[in-house]
Amino acid sequence: MELNGATPAREKRSRSVALVGPYGSGKSALFEAMLTAAGLPLRRSDPRARTMSTELRLGQCTYLGDSWSILDCPGSIEFAHEAAAALAVVDLAIVVCEPAASRAMALAPLIRTLADKAIPYLIFINKIDTLEGRVSDTIAALQAYANRALVLRQIPIRDGEAVSGYVDVVSERAYRYRKGEASELVQIPPEMRDREAEALDALVEVLADHDDALLEKVLEDVKPTPAEIYGQLSKDLAGGLTVEVLLGAAENDHGVRRLWKALRHEVPPAESTAQRRGIAPAGDPLAQVFKTVHAGHTGKLSYSRLWRGSIKDGATLNGSRLSGIYRFPGAEPTKVAEAVAGDLVAFARLETVLTGDTISTGTIAEKLPFPEPPPPVYSLAIATENRKDDVKVSGALQKLAEEDPALTVLHDQQTGETVLQGQGEMHLNAVVDKLARAYSLKITTRRPQVAYKETIRRAVHQHSRLKRQTGGHGQFADVKLDIAPRARGEGFLFTDKIVGGAVPKQYIPAVGEAAEEAARKGPFGYPVVDISVTLVDGTFHSVDSSDMAFKTATRLGMTEGLAKADPVLLEPIQHVTVSVPNEYTAKAQRLLTGRRGQILGYAERPDWPGWDDVEALVPAAELHDLIIELRSQTMGLGTFRHHFDHLAEARGRLERGAA
Ligand SMILES: Nc1nc2c(ncn2[C@@H]2O[C@H](COP(=O)(O)OP(=O)(O)O)[C@@H](O)[C@H]2O)c(=O)[nH]1
Ligand SMILES: [Mg+2]
């Protein structure tokens, strides 16, 4: 189904944009407003019922004859990887934000990503109905985080406090907003003429920085024509030199058609994006998968952007046979026979293909980069309510992890727990929800156990004798063991100092094995590490001794000996790096100290102006909800990564640790 009448030649005009920005800025509202304006029979969601987006949403439509794919990205930092994946394949990003200048900082990481990846973007200041200060203050606050020049394309017209319309800076026309309809052309309010002229001068001045012909005109005081300005605007936007700023109120459909027109004129074509991504114009068909979904009746879908050539249904891509190409012009997927360069489609049943993969029907000359998922910062152990579901759960989790590269599922050898690792509470709750909704699997979650270890602090000499006479054949073994601590990290060591066959050679390996087995569970119930066990002497019986008897004797000796050897609990200490905007550095340090952290120092975060990295050694037991507190104290911006550093004695922490 194509809307707005005839579809143009898609190969020329199939473009993609992503709506990105902080949570709650109105991306989903704008997504719906844009599709509605394009004539899509969309049921608008009730704003009060609209829930947080946790996954990418794709809308496809035509607007004034051009074919578009719009990706609505979740805004929460916990789903940032979804947005990063979308940004990898779009021609332009629309950064949606709120008018309050105080919120600008929340955009810093996103603006950084866009700059790093050289992605063209424009800013849509949404909720303009809530504007309190001046738009220029918002722009100034945003400019502080952007290394491209922001240019204001619209100035709000105020009717008392309320914003009732805008003046379009380049065309020098004024419009009054109308709900659900195109805005109405009106006279520029006389008191705004000066501000309009100022805004136009400012805009032309920025553009003149990048164009000599324009600069000459400015110097000679000649007014450039709108056509010249539009031309330069598109060029600079695509080239990553400027960022246009548009205004609107998605909820009321205000400024949405203006946005559409800007997109129509200024979003670079797919060929330019391919070039920006270093893809040669000639070669075998080339596409990249940015999202994987296991859908009911279509099977596995690999959402992809096709950068070169064309791909027909039934083709073989990276060794998998393609079975269905889908577009999404309405609520239901629509099958198409072929996809061509520029198209964004879902390829069905590419079983061997993963998110991020570069795919081709021929040979892959260039493997396209794809963002790495961020390291996990939050974990939950899971258990099924019904044991019989265990196998089903592991199958479902495998699919979910394939759909979501920011999710890791691991099985902890020591604790026996299945642990979900991800980006925060909301992220993992969404996973649990999905297990319930899509797979009818009920699971419970809890804080994962810490993999404590133990060791001993004193050497002991342990004599252990097994002597059993039951009926005819008896059991006899006698061992003398030296059990001693070793330096941290040295592990387990078994040796023997048997002379003269006090314990026959054939039984010695059994003693070693039993000693090692016994060390797997020490007096506190955790694995015992960094000890040496030496078999120094023993006796045997020519009939009643056996491997089994020596094992039993050793095990008994180990249990008794370890308990006497001043055992101590060892807790894993992680090396933690917390990254925060530097105004939060002191807060981050206090937070880590409050969690038994030992601060190692802090320094500017490499390549992140205005951010610091705080390094600390922190017990693993204290990290479980660190991300939650860190985010709540840093406007959601702070993050951390960590790795195992060492094991440390946890004296006096026993009750707490072992709980
Ligand atoms: N006042 C006002 N509220 C808006 C506007 N657009 C969206 N909202 C509200 O902002 C909230 C977040 O919107 P949503 O689209 O879910 O944000 P998202 O997280 O960026 O997708 C919702 O309560 C919307 O009703 C707008 O133009 N004006
Ligand atoms: Mg949303």
Side-chain angles (χ1 to χ4, degrees), residues 318-527:
N318 293 28
S320 280
R321 202 183 118 84
L322 175 59
S323 175
I325 304 176
Y326 294 93
R327 286 178 49 80
F328 302 83
E332 290 300 314
T334 302
K335 226 171 169 168
V336 293
E338 184 185 28
V340 299
D343 280 353
L344 190 154
V345 293
F347 292 122
R349 300 190 197 277
L350 296 179
E351 303 305 341
T352 60
V353 166
L354 298 174
T355 300
D357 283 359
T358 308
I359 55 177
S360 176
T361 50
T363 48
I364 293 170
E366 52 270 83
K367 202 175 161 331
L368 303 175
F370 194 73
E372 283 289 320
V377 290
Y378 188 73
S379 305
L380 284 175
I382 60 162
T384 46
E385 281 186 3
N386 188 341
R387 281 234 128 216
K388 281 187 297 198
D389 284 342
D390 281 4
V391 175
K392 244 178 103 185
V393 167
S394 78
L397 283 176
Q398 201 185 334
K399 283 187 176 166
L400 293 187
E402 203 184 324
E403 293 180 348
D404 179 0
L407 169 71
T408 321
V409 181
L410 59 84
H411 189 76
D412 190 310
Q413 293 290 344
Q414 183 181 327
T415 64
E417 290 177 321
T418 300
V419 178
L420 304 181
Q421 297 189 321
Q423 305 307 315
E425 259 184 322
M426 289 186 287
H427 180 217
L428 295 189
N429 285 340
V431 172
V432 173
D433 274 358
K434 209 162 171 190
L435 280 176
R437 267 188 299 107
Y439 297 90
S440 310
L441 288 166
K442 279 217 163 60
I443 61 165
T444 53
T445 61
R446 62 184 142 77
R447 181 185 178 129
Q449 290 171 41
V450 173
Y452 291 103
K453 305 274 195 281
E454 40 185 285
T455 192
I456 54 173
R457 282 183 296 186
R458 202 161 67 77
V460 291
H461 179 76
Q462 183 66 39
H463 183 193
S464 175
R465 167 182 285 232
L466 174 77
K467 190 171 183 211
R468 267 183 213 154
Q469 203 64 52
T470 43
H473 205 348
Q475 283 190 58
F476 181 88
D478 179 291
V479 291
K480 286 181 178 160
L481 304 170
D482 276 345
I483 308 174
R486 301 185 81 199
R488 200 62 61 245
E490 284 190 356
F492 176 90
L493 178 72
F494 173 78
T495 45
D496 80 273
K497 287 190 180 158
I498 297 297
V499 284
V503 174
K505 274 217 155 26
Q506 75 208 70
Y507 298 133
I508 292 175
V511 174
E513 277 166 37
E516 196 162 2
E517 274 164 32
R520 285 189 202 144
K521 199 166 181 182
F524 304 128
Y526 298 105

Side-chain angles (χ1 to χ4, degrees), residues 22-29 47 50 53 126-127 129-130 249-251:
Y23 162 64
S25 56
K27 298 174 296 299
S28 297
R50 192 177 289 132
S53 321
N126 189 37
K127 304 192 188 182
D129 51 307
T130 66
E251 200 79 331

Side-chain angles (χ1 to χ4, degrees), residues 3 17 30 49 91 181-182 215 260 357 410 481 509 556 578-579 585 659:
L3 289 134
V17 295
L30 183 58
D91 303 307
E181 272 181 82
L215 183 62
W260 262 126
D357 283 359
L410 59 84
L481 304 170
L556 293 171
V578 171
S579 300
T585 304

Side-chain angles (χ1 to χ4, degrees), residues 19-32 45-53 57 72-76 96-99 124-131 248-254:
L19 298 171
V20 290
Y23 162 64
S25 56
K27 298 174 296 299
S28 297
L30 183 58
F31 176 83
E32 291 174 12
S45 39
D46 176 351
R48 282 154 307 177
R50 192 177 289 132
T51 52
M52 188 186 67
S53 321
R57 195 153 58 130
D72 176 22
C73 301
S76 159
V96 182
C97 70
E98 294 187 40
F124 185 82
I125 301 182
N126 189 37
K127 304 192 188 182
I128 201 67
D129 51 307
T130 66
L131 178 69
E251 200 79 331
N252 308 320
D253 304 292
H254 294 163

Side-chain angles (χ1 to χ4, degrees), residues 507-582:
Y507 298 133
I508 292 175
V511 174
E513 277 166 37
E516 196 162 2
E517 274 164 32
R520 285 189 202 144
K521 199 166 181 182
F524 304 128
Y526 298 105
V528 183
V529 297
D530 304 336
I531 58 166
S532 64
V533 179
T534 314
L535 176 62
V536 288
D537 200 2
T539 48
F540 73 105
H541 186 276
S542 58
V543 178
D544 290 347
S545 281
S546 63
D547 272 358
M548 185 69 123
F550 272 99
K551 277 195 166 179
T552 309
T554 305
R555 223 165 19 237
L556 293 171
M558 285 291 291
T559 305
E560 210 174 311
L562 287 173
K564 288 190 303 198
D566 198 3
V568 63
L569 196 69
L570 292 176
E571 63 172 343
I573 306 291
Q574 305 293 109
H575 184 124
V576 177
T577 307
V578 171
S579 300
V580 286
N582 55 25

Side-chain angles (χ1 to χ4, degrees), residues 47-366:
R48 282 154 307 177
R50 192 177 289 132
T51 52
M52 188 186 67
S53 321
T54 61
E55 267 187 279
L56 276 177
R57 195 153 58 130
L58 169 64
Q60 296 191 310
C61 63
T62 53
Y63 191 83
L64 300 180
D66 299 337
S67 173
W68 291 94
S69 298
I70 307 173
L71 289 163
D72 176 22
C73 301
S76 159
I77 185 79
E78 299 192 20
F79 303 96
H81 189 61
E82 291 278 307
L87 290 176
V89 297
V90 293
D91 303 307
L92 175 118
I94 301 171
V95 175
V96 182
C97 70
E98 294 187 40
S102 59
R103 299 266 182 119
M105 204 218 282
L107 289 159
L110 174 61
I111 289 179
R112 253 202 83 76
T113 304
L114 294 165
D116 283 352
K117 309 254 189 248
I119 298 168
Y121 66 95
L122 57 77
I123 294 178
F124 185 82
I125 301 182
N126 189 37
K127 304 192 188 182
I128 201 67
D129 51 307
T130 66
L131 178 69
E132 280 178 355
R134 292 158 46 96
V135 178
S136 52
D137 294 339
T138 311
I139 306 271
L142 291 168
Q143 185 67 71
Y145 300 102
N147 60 357
R148 303 178 195 172
L150 268 49
V151 293
L152 186 59
R153 293 281 315 259
Q154 293 166 285
I155 331 174
I157 299 176
R158 295 188 116 135
D159 216 344
E161 283 298 290
V163 175
S164 61
Y166 65 89
V167 179
D168 188 86
V169 173
V170 181
S171 69
E172 299 182 273
R173 286 182 182 154
Y175 294 86
R176 192 200 317 277
Y177 289 136
R178 288 187 300 187
K179 167 99 187 149
E181 272 181 82
S183 303
E184 176 191 13
L185 187 64
V186 293
Q187 289 287 321
I188 296 187
E191 73 279 9
M192 288 190 71
R193 288 195 179 279
D194 284 353
R195 278 197 51 215
E196 200 288 321
E198 254 171 54
L200 182 57
D201 281 349
L203 188 150
V204 171
E205 214 163 284
V206 170
L207 297 183
D209 276 349
H210 313 128
D211 187 77
D212 289 343
L214 260 185
L215 183 62
E216 246 168 67
K217 289 203 163 181
V218 171
L219 295 177
E220 287 164 15
D221 234 1
V222 180
K223 197 170 172 180
T225 64
E228 284 173 307
I229 297 176
Y230 287 132
Q232 194 60 33
L233 273 170
S234 317
K235 221 167 102 191
D236 288 356
L237 182 84
L241 297 171
T242 56
V243 176
E244 299 183 21
V245 181
L246 297 166
L247 314 176
E251 200 79 331
N252 308 320
D253 304 292
H254 294 163
V256 174
R257 284 173 176 79
R258 185 70 204 79
L259 170 65
W260 262 126
K261 284 181 193 156
L263 296 180
R264 181 160 194 263
H265 289 292
E266 272 141 51
V267 175
E271 304 90 79
S272 310
T273 308
Q275 195 183 7
R276 162 166 70 76
R277 300 206 66 202
I279 300 163
D284 285 330
L286 194 81
Q288 185 170 32
V289 182
F290 66 95
K291 174 83 187 158
T292 304
V293 173
H294 290 274
H297 61 294
T298 50
K300 176 176 167 180
L301 292 179
S302 303
Y303 286 79
S304 312
R305 187 93 194 266
L306 183 51
W307 294 115
R308 192 168 65 208
S310 65
I311 293 174
K312 286 197 167 69
D313 193 7
T316 299
L317 288 149
N318 293 28
S320 280
R321 202 183 118 84
L322 175 59
S323 175
I325 304 176
Y326 294 93
R327 286 178 49 80
F328 302 83
E332 290 300 314
T334 302
K335 226 171 169 168
V336 293
E338 184 185 28
V340 299
D343 280 353
L344 190 154
V345 293
F347 292 122
R349 300 190 197 277
L350 296 179
E351 303 305 341
T352 60
V353 166
L354 298 174
T355 300
D357 283 359
T358 308
I359 55 177
S360 176
T361 50
T363 48
I364 293 170
E366 52 270 83

